[in-house]
Amino acid sequence: MNVAMLNEQPSLLKSAALLPPRLSLGATMIHHGLAKLKKDGIAQSAGMFEQLGIKPGKPWALATGITELVAGVSSILGIATRLTAVGVIVTQAMAIAKVHGKNGFDMTKGGYEFNVALIAIALGTLMRGPGRVSLHSALERRVKRKELKHFRLLPRQRRGSVLLDALG
């Protein structure tokens, strides 16, 4: 693909540009969520949460693992990304506040460098949404076609679109 072809397809590139951050965030969050949800992972995470003063540890470990897993799947599929981006931001902010903050920025010293990168990707998703290369976009096109087909153009009749827009 040459430069002229890239310049001719700016909307395609803009849409595709959101995919790599979504996929990397999704893969990372799925990995972390599954690690916490394994049988030994729950016990280990619960113990760590208790040591950090987050009690009771087991329910918080489960909630964190589920949040991370759902956020990862959501990010990869590109559905409800704004809602789950908030979950990523909260879990990573807690990780910085309770674990990594005291170690400074450097990840090799147990710092919060990686957490900040995850928060930045999640903030981008929160602000921009999943983009056109997403399940959200496919559902939105279908809902809007259905609304137009039935002449449902009044705001109170656009419930499906409003919900999709809010979830991003």
Side-chain angles (χ1 to χ4, degrees):
M1 184 177 281
N2 62 33
V3 175
M5 287 178 67
L6 292 175
N7 289 335
E8 293 170 6
Q9 299 293 329
S11 62
L12 177 64
L13 288 178
K14 286 179 183 177
S15 296
L18 297 171
L19 199 53
R22 267 192 20 234
L23 295 177
S24 67
L25 179 65
T28 301
M29 297 314 293
I30 287 171
H31 174 75
H32 285 270
L34 286 176
K36 284 180 182 68
L37 294 174
K38 291 179 182 172
K39 190 172 186 172
D40 57 334
I42 292 172
Q44 185 179 15
S45 296
M48 182 188 73
F49 279 30
E50 294 263 344
Q51 287 178 345
L52 295 170
I54 302 171
K55 297 179 182 180
K58 187 174 181 179
W60 283 108
L62 282 169
T64 303
I66 290 168
T67 299
E68 290 175 344
L69 180 62
V70 169
V73 171
S74 168
S75 183
I76 287 173
L77 294 177
I79 188 78
T81 54
R82 287 190 169 107
L83 178 65
T84 56
V86 172
V88 171
I89 293 165
V90 169
T91 59
Q92 296 310 305
M94 284 297 291
I96 291 170
K98 293 287 190 177
V99 179
H100 302 287
K102 67 182 179 290
N103 300 324
F105 185 74
D106 191 351
M107 188 173 80
T108 62
K109 297 176 182 168
Y112 54 87
E113 178 181 356
F114 185 65
N115 306 95
V116 168
L118 293 175
I119 289 172
I121 296 169
L123 276 172
T125 304
L126 180 65
M127 291 186 290
R128 181 61 178 89
R132 285 189 351 198
V133 183
S134 64
L135 182 57
H136 168 87
S137 183
L139 288 172
E140 185 176 51
R141 283 189 301 269
R142 183 175 177 184
V143 166
K144 288 186 178 180
R145 269 195 315 262
K146 188 176 180 182
E147 288 173 351
L148 288 173
K149 183 179 175 184
H150 297 291
F151 300 106
R152 293 184 180 177
L153 302 175
L154 298 173
R156 64 191 160 124
Q157 294 173 323
R158 294 186 61 240
R159 289 186 192 114
S161 290
V162 173
L163 179 61
L164 280 170
D165 289 343
L167 291 175

